[in-house]
Structure formats: C-alpha cells, structure tokens
Amino acid sequence: MSKIIGIDLGTTNSCVAVIEGGEPIVIPNAEGNRTTPSVVAFSKTGERLVGQVAKRQAITNPDHTIMSIKRDMGSDRKIRIEDKNYSPQEISAMVLTKMKQEAEGYLGETVSQAVITVPAYFSDSQRQATKDAGVIAGLEVMRIINEPTAAALAYGLDKEGNQKILVYDLGGGTFDVSIMEIGDGVFEVLATRGNNRLGGDDFDQRVMDYLADEFKKTEGIDLRMDKMALQRLKEAAEKAKIELSGVLTTNINLPFITADATGPKHLDVTLTRAKFEEMTADLVEKSMAPLREA
Amino acid sequence: MGKDLVKDNQFEDNTQNDSSVNDEDDVDRISRSEDGEDTSLTKPEEELAKVIEERDKYLAMAQRIQADFDNYKKRNKTSIAAAYNDAELETVGKFLPVLDNLHRALDISGEKGSSHAEAICKGVEMVTKQFTDILEKMGITEIGGEGEPFDPMYHDAVMSVEAESEEEKNTVTEVVLMGYKTEDKVIRYSMVKVAN
C-alpha cells in the first residue's frame, strides 16, 4: 500500500510531508532541511538542478535559473532555456519531482499519489496548472487543498467544532491572510487577501539596515559597500530575528567585520525585541491592510 | 407506559416486513426488544455483512499500522548511527563561525603587524564570547568554583595548598583549568587547587 504525500509547493520554498502513525511528519531533504528552495536550473553542462543546489549556483547562472515560478502558474508564459520552451507547469513539475524523490528516499518506497496545496486566491486555471504539474511529475493528484485549509488542519481545528478562523501566513517572500469558516469537516474560505511582495526577507532587510546604520554612526564606514560584510550582516540579521521570537534581547557579535587604516573594526550590537518591533512596525502595518479588507 | 410505547414503536419500525413477529403477543414483543434490538431484529445476512465490513476495516487498519511500523523499524536501525554522525557534524558546524573569525583575526594581524594590538585584542575577546555563547546555547556551562567547597563530583584536585584559615579548609583556592558541564553530565572536570 503506497503512501500519499502532501506537498506545499511554495513560491520560494517547498515542503513535503507524510502521515505516519496518524501524525503528519515533515520529510527532511537529503541535506537535512525541512524545506527545499523552489528553484530550478539548467547547468552549463545541460544538467538539471533543483533545490538548494540550484539556488547555490543562481548568481553565476542567472539566465538558466528559474525562481518563483509559482507566480506564473496558470499563465501561458514560456520559459526559454537554450532552444527549448518550458511551461510553468513543467518547471513546477521539476520541483514536485524533487519533492517526490526526497519522500521516496525517506520512505524507501515509490510514491505515486499526492495532495498539493495552493493559495486560496488561485483561480481554476491556476489550480488546473498545479494539478497538471503533478501529473507531469508522475503523481496522481488526489486533491488540491487551499493553503489556509491545510494550516487549519495542521492545527487540528477541524476537530474543534464549528468556528470562524483567521489564517495569517507570512512566508519568505509572500503574505496571505484568509478568513475561513469550519463546520462539519467542511472548510470554506470566506475571504482572502495578500501582498505577494511582502515576506520574512523584508524583516531581515530592516535588521540589516539598522545594523549598518548603527555601524556607520560609530565607525563611519558603510558596510553596505562591502559584499563580504553584507553577507555576514544578512546571516546575522536573520539569526537575530529568529532568536527574538524566543528571547527579549539578543547580541549580534561580528568581530573583524571590516578594517580601515586605523585597524580592524568589530560590530557588537544588542538588539531588543522592542527595537525590532519598532523597526518593523510599518511592515506589520502593511500586513494589516489586507487583513482588515479580508 | 410511555416507555413501553417507545419500545413498541422501535420494534415495529425495525420489523415492518416480518409479519410473523407482529403476530406475537405484547409481553413477548417487549421482552424481545429488551434482549437487545441488534441481535433479534436484524437479519443474520445483514449482520454478517456488517461484521465482514468491520473486519475488513480493522484488517486494513492493522495492515497499515504494520506497514508503518515495519518502515519505522527499518529506518530506526540506520537512523541511530546516522543521528550520531549528524549530531557530531552539526556540532562542528556550530563552531565553524568561530574558526572563521579566528582566520579573520590572523589575516588582519599578519597584514598590519602588531600596530593594532588593542583592536585585535578586542576582536579576539569577541570571538571568545562567541564561543562561550555557542556553548551556552547548547546548555553547556563552566565549572569554576573558586572559593567554593571542593566537590569531587565536579572538581579534579591537582594540587593541595596550606589553608590560610579554618574556613578555607577543603575549598577551591584556584581554578587551574576551567571545567564544563551540561545539566546532567560533566564534559570536563575543572582542575583545581584545594586548601587543606
């Protein structure tokens, strides 16, 4: 009896899960991560790369690297790579194939059936395109589920009787908010709004800007001019953001971040949750507008 | 009386097509329904079909659980060894940023000679803090103990010195090498001098 996998086919990252012993389990990919970048690339040697490996080479091979294909689902856009045209369905199918393979590697058996999630605002043609992508990937798509419905199911809200809920989904690069009614196992999306250019990355950017500004104030050097320093700032900003979910204050410690004639410079900044909330208040406010509309 | 009526109604609903049962007297009808409607009122074939259906359901459930469990066992066998290896690599990964910063410190020291000793020293201080922060996040704390009573559960006495006072006896006077522990396990005992 083969397993049915559940795939969250995201704009920036995708995730695959399976029910095991009655519990949903997120399947880690071969690199041990719970999500896989939704990135497809064709290397210079003609090899097809999907996921983290595709993302790692993106900067040196931008013309043959496809990101955020989800935004084109349901359109008749063609992606031309060398002398071949690909539809968004075909590109998405490559991501789905990768997720399928990860699941097969984990389960040790072939997988042929899947449930795939789509945003609640997806039109029929976008849903059909997603289904087609599944078929191209060799998957029988048992069901296309709305993302907020999947979220509500994951929280077990279907077992709590009839109620109205709000699902706030802030992804890496997109934001969706939905109001749903749950009753007798039926999920109805009453309203859905979003902003497809707002995500966690914007919050990281704010922290980076803050750190760079603080450093400029004390040392007079703009770290944004230094690519290596910028990369370290980016990682530190994301780490600080994550830490501030659990603690009220965090220390950003970047010794030897840069140097000038007067010697090496260090970045040592303490960031409080209050400060973080203050600098990202407008981003949260940005998400409130669609929320009120919904 | 009301109770009896309800029973009668139920009885008749379930046996509309069975005229022979309807002919029986009231007492019998009531006692039959009290025996349990399920066994007396449904046809054996229906009963059997229902039981078969249930059996299949449970069999499928058992098979599914068995398959889940077999997979689990299979994976579990290899996953313990893999987990150990992964944990080791993950731990190393946590400390790589420290190594990066040490390289940066060395690069800058080599480049600019010792003219920026203070700034370099400050940097290395930060690297040290970075290291201990990582340890702390892993739940690893220092075993110091200077001035505290000597405790062989945590301390390794490497030298004995003359106590200067009665109170100082059997206390740690100096930590020669810092020890480290998690909540329930000592990684390294701290090497200490003890007053006697």
Side-chain angles (χ1 to χ4, degrees), chain A residues 209-282:
Chain A
D209 284 339
Y210 172 74
L211 296 175
D213 289 344
E214 286 295 300
F215 193 78
K216 191 149 187 229
K217 251 188 267 169
T218 55
E219 304 289 348
I221 301 173
D222 191 353
L223 292 175
R224 277 167 284 225
M225 297 293 122
D226 180 344
K227 274 210 169 149
M228 251 329 283
L230 204 61
Q231 185 57 38
R232 286 178 75 191
L233 271 188
K234 195 174 150 106
E235 281 166 25
E238 193 189 352
K239 194 165 150 250
K241 176 188 77 176
I242 294 167
E243 280 182 357
L244 285 176
S245 299
V247 295
L248 288 173
T249 163
T250 185
N251 177 248
I252 297 143
N253 175 343
L254 297 172
F256 305 103
I257 184 92
T258 189
D260 67 4
T262 66
K265 304 284 177 212
H266 318 299
L267 185 146
D268 187 3
V269 177
T270 297
L271 185 62
T272 62
R273 191 188 290 175
K275 183 74 203 165
F276 174 73
E277 283 169 358
E278 182 195 315
M279 67 176 85
T280 56
D282 65 309

Coordinates of all heavy atoms in Angstrom, one line a residue, chain A residues 209-282:
Chain A
D209 N 19.6 46.9 7.8 CA 19.8 48.3 7.6 C 20.1 49.0 9.0 O 20.9 49.9 9.1 CB 18.5 48.9 7.1 CG 18.4 48.7 5.6 OD1 19.4 48.4 4.9 OD2 17.2 48.7 5.0
Y210 N 19.4 48.5 10.0 CA 19.6 49.0 11.3 C 21.1 48.8 11.8 O 21.8 49.7 12.2 CB 18.7 48.4 12.3 CG 19.0 48.7 13.8 CD1 18.6 49.9 14.3 CD2 19.6 47.7 14.6 CE1 18.9 50.2 15.6 CE2 19.8 48.0 16.0 CZ 19.5 49.3 16.5 OH 19.7 49.6 17.8
L211 N 21.6 47.6 11.6 CA 23.0 47.3 11.9 C 24.0 48.1 11.2 O 24.9 48.7 11.7 CB 23.3 45.8 11.7 CG 22.4 44.8 12.5 CD1 22.8 43.4 12.1 CD2 22.7 45.0 14.0
A212 N 23.7 48.2 9.9 CA 24.6 49.0 9.0 C 24.6 50.5 9.4 O 25.6 51.1 9.5 CB 24.2 48.9 7.5
D213 N 23.4 51.0 9.7 CA 23.3 52.4 10.2 C 24.0 52.6 11.5 O 24.7 53.6 11.6 CB 21.8 52.8 10.3 CG 21.1 52.9 9.0 OD1 21.8 53.0 8.0 OD2 19.9 52.9 9.0
E214 N 23.8 51.7 12.4 CA 24.5 51.9 13.7 C 26.0 51.8 13.6 O 26.7 52.6 14.2 CB 24.1 50.7 14.6 CG 22.7 50.8 15.2 CD 22.5 52.0 16.1 OE1 23.2 52.0 17.1 OE2 21.7 52.8 15.8
F215 N 26.5 51.0 12.7 CA 27.9 50.8 12.5 C 28.5 52.1 11.9 O 29.6 52.6 12.2 CB 28.2 49.6 11.6 CG 29.6 49.2 11.5 CD1 30.2 48.5 12.6 CD2 30.4 49.6 10.5 CE1 31.5 48.1 12.6 CE2 31.8 49.2 10.4 CZ 32.3 48.5 11.5
K216 N 27.7 52.6 10.9 CA 28.1 53.9 10.2 C 28.2 55.0 11.2 O 29.2 55.8 11.2 CB 27.1 54.2 9.1 CG 27.7 55.3 8.2 CD 27.2 55.2 6.8 CE 27.9 56.2 5.9 NZ 27.0 57.0 5.1
K217 N 27.3 55.0 12.2 CA 27.3 56.1 13.2 C 28.5 56.0 14.0 O 29.2 57.0 14.3 CB 26.0 55.9 14.1 CG 25.0 57.0 13.9 CD 23.9 57.0 14.9 CE 22.7 56.1 14.4 NZ 21.8 55.8 15.5
T218 N 28.9 54.8 14.5 CA 30.0 54.7 15.4 C 31.4 54.6 14.7 O 32.3 55.2 15.2 CB 29.9 53.4 16.3 OG1 29.7 52.3 15.4 CG2 28.7 53.5 17.2
E219 N 31.4 54.0 13.5 CA 32.7 53.8 12.9 C 32.9 54.6 11.6 O 34.0 54.7 11.1 CB 32.9 52.3 12.5 CG 32.8 51.4 13.7 CD 34.0 51.5 14.7 OE1 35.0 52.1 14.4 OE2 33.8 50.9 15.8
G220 N 31.8 55.2 11.1 CA 31.9 56.0 9.9 C 32.2 55.2 8.6 O 32.6 55.7 7.6
I221 N 31.9 53.9 8.7 CA 32.1 53.0 7.5 C 30.7 52.4 7.1 O 30.0 51.9 8.0 CB 33.1 51.9 7.8 CG1 34.4 52.5 8.2 CG2 33.2 51.0 6.5 CD1 35.4 51.4 8.6
D222 N 30.4 52.5 5.8 CA 29.1 51.9 5.3 C 29.4 50.4 4.9 O 30.0 50.2 3.9 CB 28.6 52.7 4.2 CG 27.1 52.3 3.9 OD1 26.7 51.3 4.5 OD2 26.5 52.9 3.0
L223 N 28.9 49.5 5.7 CA 29.1 48.1 5.5 C 28.4 47.6 4.2 O 28.7 46.6 3.6 CB 28.6 47.3 6.7 CG 29.4 47.4 7.9 CD1 28.8 46.6 9.1 CD2 30.9 46.9 7.7
R224 N 27.4 48.4 3.7 CA 26.7 48.0 2.5 C 27.5 48.1 1.3 O 27.2 47.5 0.3 CB 25.4 49.0 2.4 CG 24.3 48.5 3.2 CD 23.2 49.6 3.3 NE 23.6 50.6 4.2 CZ 22.8 51.2 5.1 NH1 21.6 50.8 5.3 NH2 23.3 52.1 5.9
M225 N 28.7 48.7 1.4 CA 29.6 48.8 0.3 C 30.5 47.6 0.2 O 31.2 47.4 -0.8 CB 30.5 50.1 0.5 CG 29.8 51.4 0.5 SD 29.1 51.7 -1.1 CE 27.4 51.9 -0.7
D226 N 30.5 46.8 1.2 CA 31.4 45.6 1.3 C 30.6 44.3 1.2 O 29.8 44.0 2.1 CB 32.1 45.7 2.7 CG 33.1 44.6 2.9 OD1 33.0 43.6 2.1 OD2 34.0 44.7 3.8
K227 N 30.7 43.7 0.1 CA 29.9 42.5 -0.2 C 30.1 41.4 0.9 O 29.1 40.7 1.3 CB 30.2 41.9 -1.6 CG 29.4 42.6 -2.7 CD 29.2 41.7 -3.8 CE 28.1 42.3 -4.8 NZ 28.3 41.9 -6.1
M228 N 31.3 41.2 1.3 CA 31.5 40.1 2.3 C 30.9 40.5 3.6 O 30.2 39.7 4.2 CB 33.1 40.0 2.5 CG 33.7 38.7 2.0 SD 32.6 37.3 1.9 CE 32.6 36.8 3.6
A229 N 31.0 41.8 4.0 CA 30.4 42.2 5.2 C 28.9 42.1 5.2 O 28.2 41.7 6.1 CB 30.9 43.7 5.5
L230 N 28.4 42.5 4.0 CA 26.9 42.4 3.8 C 26.4 41.0 4.0 O 25.3 40.8 4.6 CB 26.7 43.0 2.4 CG 25.3 43.5 2.1 CD1 25.0 44.7 3.0 CD2 25.1 44.0 0.7
Q231 N 27.1 40.1 3.4 CA 26.7 38.7 3.6 C 26.6 38.3 5.0 O 25.7 37.6 5.5 CB 27.7 37.8 2.8 CG 27.3 36.3 2.7 CD 25.9 36.1 2.1 OE1 25.5 36.8 1.2 NE2 25.2 35.2 2.7
R232 N 27.7 38.7 5.8 CA 27.7 38.4 7.2 C 26.5 39.1 8.0 O 25.9 38.5 8.9 CB 29.0 38.8 7.9 CG 30.1 37.8 7.5 CD 31.4 38.3 8.1 NE 31.5 38.0 9.5 CZ 32.5 38.5 10.3 NH1 33.4 39.3 9.8 NH2 32.5 38.2 11.6
L233 N 26.2 40.3 7.5 CA 25.1 41.0 8.2 C 23.8 40.3 7.9 O 23.0 40.2 8.8 CB 25.0 42.4 7.5 CG 25.8 43.6 8.1 CD1 25.4 44.9 7.5 CD2 25.6 43.7 9.6
K234 N 23.7 39.8 6.7 CA 22.4 39.2 6.3 C 22.1 38.0 7.1 O 21.1 37.8 7.7 CB 22.5 38.8 4.8 CG 21.2 38.5 4.1 CD 21.5 38.3 2.7 CE 20.5 37.3 2.1 NZ 19.4 37.4 1.4
E235 N 23.2 37.1 7.3 CA 23.0 35.9 8.1 C 22.7 36.3 9.6 O 21.9 35.7 10.2 CB 24.3 35.1 8.1 CG 24.4 34.3 6.8 CD 25.8 33.7 6.6 OE1 26.6 33.6 7.6 OE2 26.2 33.5 5.4
A236 N 23.5 37.3 10.1 CA 23.3 37.7 11.5 C 21.9 38.3 11.7 O 21.3 38.0 12.7 CB 24.4 38.7 11.8
A237 N 21.4 39.0 10.7 CA 20.1 39.6 10.8 C 19.0 38.6 10.9 O 18.1 38.6 11.8 CB 19.8 40.6 9.6
E238 N 19.1 37.6 10.1 CA 18.1 36.5 10.1 C 18.1 35.7 11.4 O 17.1 35.4 12.0 CB 18.3 35.6 8.9 CG 17.1 34.7 8.7 CD 17.3 33.6 7.7 OE1 18.3 33.6 7.0 OE2 16.4 32.7 7.6
K239 N 19.3 35.5 11.9 CA 19.5 34.7 13.1 C 19.0 35.5 14.3 O 18.3 35.0 15.1 CB 21.0 34.5 13.3 CG 21.4 33.5 14.4 CD 22.8 33.0 14.3 CE 23.4 32.7 15.6 NZ 24.4 33.6 16.1
A240 N 19.2 36.8 14.3 CA 18.7 37.7 15.3 C 17.2 37.7 15.3 O 16.5 37.6 16.4 CB 19.3 39.1 15.2
K241 N 16.6 37.8 14.2 CA 15.1 37.8 14.0 C 14.5 36.6 14.6 O 13.6 36.6 15.4 CB 14.8 37.9 12.6 CG 13.3 37.8 12.3 CD 12.9 37.8 10.8 CE 13.2 36.4 10.3 NZ 12.8 36.2 8.8
I242 N 15.1 35.4 14.3 CA 14.6 34.1 14.8 C 14.8 34.1 16.3 O 13.9 33.7 17.0 CB 15.3 33.0 14.1 CG1 14.9 33.0 12.6 CG2 15.0 31.6 14.8 CD1 15.8 32.1 11.7
E243 N 15.9 34.5 16.8 CA 16.2 34.5 18.3 C 15.2 35.3 19.0 O 14.8 35.0 20.1 CB 17.6 34.9 18.6 CG 18.6 33.8 18.3 CD 20.0 34.1 18.6 OE1 20.3 35.3 19.0 OE2 20.9 33.3 18.5
L244 N 14.9 36.5 18.4 CA 14.0 37.4 19.2 C 12.6 36.9 19.3 O 11.8 37.4 20.0 CB 14.0 38.8 18.5 CG 15.3 39.6 18.8 CD1 15.2 40.9 18.0 CD2 15.5 39.9 20.2
S245 N 12.2 35.8 18.6 CA 10.9 35.1 18.8 C 10.9 34.5 20.2 O 9.9 34.3 20.8 CB 10.7 34.1 17.8 OG 10.6 34.7 16.5
G246 N 12.1 34.0 20.6 CA 12.2 33.3 21.9 C 12.7 34.1 23.1 O 12.3 33.8 24.2
V247 N 13.5 35.1 22.8 CA 14.1 35.9 23.9 C 13.8 37.3 23.7 O 13.5 37.8 22.5 CB 15.6 35.6 24.1 CG1 15.9 34.2 24.5 CG2 16.3 35.9 22.8
L248 N 14.0 38.1 24.7 CA 13.6 39.6 24.6 C 14.8 40.4 24.1 O 14.6 41.5 23.6 CB 13.2 40.1 26.0 CG 11.8 39.6 26.4 CD1 11.5 40.1 27.8 CD2 10.7 40.2 25.4
T249 N 16.0 39.8 24.2 CA 17.2 40.6 23.7 C 18.2 39.6 23.2 O 18.4 38.5 23.6 CB 17.7 41.5 24.8 OG1 19.0 41.9 24.5 CG2 17.8 40.8 26.2
T250 N 18.9 40.1 22.1 CA 19.9 39.2 21.5 C 21.1 40.1 21.2 O 21.0 41.3 20.9 CB 19.4 38.5 20.3 OG1 20.4 37.6 19.8 CG2 19.0 39.5 19.1
N251 N 22.3 39.4 21.2 CA 23.5 40.1 20.9 C 24.0 39.7 19.5 O 24.1 38.6 19.1 CB 24.6 39.8 21.9 CG 25.9 40.4 21.7 OD1 26.9 39.7 21.4 ND2 26.0 41.7 21.8
I252 N 24.3 40.8 18.7 CA 24.9 40.5 17.3 C 26.3 40.8 17.4 O 26.7 42.0 17.6 CB 24.1 41.3 16.3 CG1 22.7 40.9 16.2 CG2 24.8 41.1 14.9 CD1 21.7 42.0 16.0
N253 N 27.1 39.8 17.3 CA 28.5 39.8 17.6 C 29.3 39.5 16.3 O 29.3 38.3 15.9 CB 28.8 38.8 18.7 CG 30.3 38.6 19.0 OD1 31.2 39.0 18.3 ND2 30.5 38.0 20.2
L254 N 29.8 40.5 15.6 CA 30.6 40.2 14.3 C 32.0 40.8 14.4 O 32.2 41.9 13.9 CB 29.8 40.8 13.1 CG 28.4 40.2 12.8 CD1 27.7 41.0 11.8 CD2 28.5 38.7 12.4
P255 N 32.9 40.1 15.0 CA 34.2 40.6 15.1 C 34.9 40.6 13.7 O 34.6 39.8 12.9 CB 35.0 39.6 16.0 CG 34.1 38.4 16.1 CD 32.7 38.8 15.7
F256 N 35.8 41.6 13.5 CA 36.6 41.7 12.3 C 35.7 41.8 11.1 O 35.9 41.2 10.0 CB 37.5 40.5 12.1 CG 38.5 40.3 13.3 CD1 38.2 39.3 14.2 CD2 39.6 41.2 13.5 CE1 39.1 39.2 15.3 CE2 40.4 41.0 14.6 CZ 40.2 40.0 15.5
I257 N 34.6 42.6 11.2 CA 33.6 42.7 10.1 C 34.3 43.5 9.0 O 34.0 43.3 7.8 CB 32.3 43.4 10.6 CG1 31.3 43.5 9.5 CG2 32.5 44.8 11.2 CD1 30.4 42.3 9.5
T258 N 35.2 44.4 9.3 CA 35.9 45.2 8.2 C 37.1 45.8 8.9 O 37.4 45.6 10.0 CB 34.9 46.2 7.6 OG1 35.6 46.8 6.5 CG2 34.6 47.4 8.6
A259 N 37.8 46.5 8.0 CA 39.1 47.2 8.6 C 39.3 48.4 7.8 O 39.0 48.5 6.6 CB 40.2 46.2 8.5
D260 N 40.0 49.4 8.4 CA 40.5 50.6 7.6 C 41.9 50.9 8.1 O 42.5 50.0 8.9 CB 39.5 51.8 7.7 CG 39.5 52.3 9.2 OD1 40.2 51.9 10.0 OD2 38.7 53.3 9.4
A261 N 42.4 52.0 7.8 CA 43.8 52.3 8.1 C 44.0 52.3 9.6 O 45.1 52.1 10.1 CB 44.2 53.7 7.6
T262 N 43.0 52.6 10.4 CA 43.1 52.6 11.8 C 43.0 51.2 12.5 O 43.1 51.1 13.7 CB 42.1 53.5 12.5 OG1 40.8 52.9 12.3 CG2 42.1 54.9 11.9
G263 N 42.8 50.2 11.7 CA 42.8 48.8 12.2 C 41.5 48.1 12.0 O 40.6 48.6 11.3
P264 N 41.4 46.9 12.6 CA 40.2 46.1 12.4 C 39.0 46.7 13.1 O 39.2 47.3 14.2 CB 40.6 44.7 13.0 CG 41.7 45.0 13.9 CD 42.4 46.2 13.4
K265 N 37.8 46.5 12.6 CA 36.6 47.0 13.2 C 35.6 45.8 13.5 O 35.6 44.9 12.8 CB 35.9 47.9 12.2 CG 36.7 49.1 11.7 CD 36.8 50.2 12.8 CE 37.7 51.3 12.3 NZ 38.4 51.9 13.4
H266 N 34.9 46.0 14.6 CA 34.0 45.0 15.1 C 32.6 45.5 15.2 O 32.4 46.7 15.5 CB 34.4 44.4 16.4 CG 35.9 44.2 16.5 ND1 36.6 43.4 15.7 CD2 36.8 44.8 17.4 CE1 37.9 43.4 16.0 NE2 38.1 44.3 17.0
L267 N 31.7 44.6 14.9 CA 30.3 45.1 15.1 C 29.7 44.3 16.3 O 29.8 43.1 16.4 CB 29.4 44.7 13.9 CG 28.0 45.2 13.9 CD1 27.5 45.6 12.5 CD2 27.0 44.2 14.4
D268 N 29.3 45.0 17.3 CA 28.8 44.4 18.5 C 27.5 45.2 18.9 O 27.6 46.3 19.5 CB 29.9 44.5 19.6 CG 29.5 43.7 20.9 OD1 28.4 43.1 20.9 OD2 30.3 43.8 21.8
V269 N 26.4 44.7 18.6 CA 25.1 45.4 18.8 C 24.2 44.5 19.6 O 24.0 43.3 19.3 CB 24.5 45.9 17.5 CG1 23.2 46.6 17.7 CG2 25.4 46.8 16.7
T270 N 23.5 45.1 20.6 CA 22.5 44.4 21.3 C 21.1 44.9 20.7 O 20.9 46.1 20.7 CB 22.6 44.6 22.8 OG1 23.8 44.1 23.2 CG2 21.5 43.9 23.5
L271 N 20.3 43.9 20.3 CA 19.0 44.3 19.8 C 17.9 43.7 20.7 O 17.9 42.5 21.0 CB 18.9 43.7 18.3 CG 17.6 44.0 17.6 CD1 17.5 45.5 17.3 CD2 17.6 43.3 16.2
T272 N 17.0 44.6 21.0 CA 15.9 44.1 21.9 C 14.7 43.8 21.0 O 14.6 44.3 19.9 CB 15.5 45.2 22.9 OG1 15.0 46.3 22.2 CG2 16.6 45.6 23.8
R273 N 13.8 43.1 21.5 CA 12.6 42.7 20.8 C 11.8 44.0 20.5 O 11.2 44.2 19.4 CB 11.7 41.7 21.5 CG 10.6 41.2 20.6 CD 9.6 40.3 21.4 NE 10.2 39.0 21.8 CZ 9.6 38.2 22.5 NH1 8.4 38.4 22.9 NH2 10.2 37.0 22.8
A274 N 11.7 44.9 21.5 CA 11.0 46.2 21.4 C 11.5 47.0 20.2 O 10.8 47.5 19.4 CB 11.1 47.0 22.6
K275 N 12.9 47.0 20.1 CA 13.5 47.8 19.0 C 13.2 47.1 17.7 O 12.9 47.8 16.7 CB 15.0 47.8 19.2 CG 15.8 48.6 18.2 CD 15.6 50.1 18.4 CE 15.9 50.8 17.1 NZ 15.4 52.2 17.1
F276 N 13.2 45.8 17.6 CA 12.9 45.0 16.4 C 11.5 45.3 16.0 O 11.2 45.6 14.8 CB 13.1 43.5 16.7 CG 12.7 42.7 15.5 CD1 13.4 42.6 14.3 CD2 11.5 41.9 15.6 CE1 13.0 41.8 13.3 CE2 11.1 41.1 14.5 CZ 11.9 41.1 13.4
E277 N 10.6 45.3 17.0 CA 9.2 45.6 16.6 C 9.0 47.0 16.1 O 8.2 47.2 15.2 CB 8.3 45.3 17.9 CG 8.1 43.9 18.1 CD 7.5 43.5 19.5 OE1 7.2 44.5 20.3 OE2 7.2 42.3 19.8
E278 N 9.8 47.9 16.7 CA 9.7 49.3 16.3 C 10.1 49.4 14.8 O 9.4 50.1 14.0 CB 10.5 50.1 17.2 CG 10.5 51.6 16.9 CD 11.7 52.3 17.6 OE1 11.9 52.0 18.8 OE2 12.3 53.2 17.0
M279 N 11.2 48.8 14.5 CA 11.8 49.0 13.1 C 11.0 48.2 12.1 O 11.1 48.5 10.9 CB 13.3 48.6 13.1 CG 13.6 47.2 13.3 SD 15.3 46.8 13.1 CE 16.0 47.2 14.7
T280 N 10.1 47.3 12.5 CA 9.4 46.5 11.5 C 7.9 46.8 11.6 O 7.1 46.2 11.0 CB 9.6 45.0 11.7 OG1 9.2 44.7 13.0 CG2 11.0 44.6 11.4
A281 N 7.6 47.8 12.4 CA 6.1 48.2 12.7 C 5.4 48.5 11.4 O 4.3 48.0 11.2 CB 6.0 49.4 13.6
D282 N 6.1 49.2 10.5 CA 5.4 49.5 9.2 C 5.1 48.3 8.3 O 4.2 48.2 7.6 CB 6.2 50.6 8.4 CG 7.5 50.0 8.0 OD1 8.2 49.5 8.8 OD2 7.8 50.1 6.8

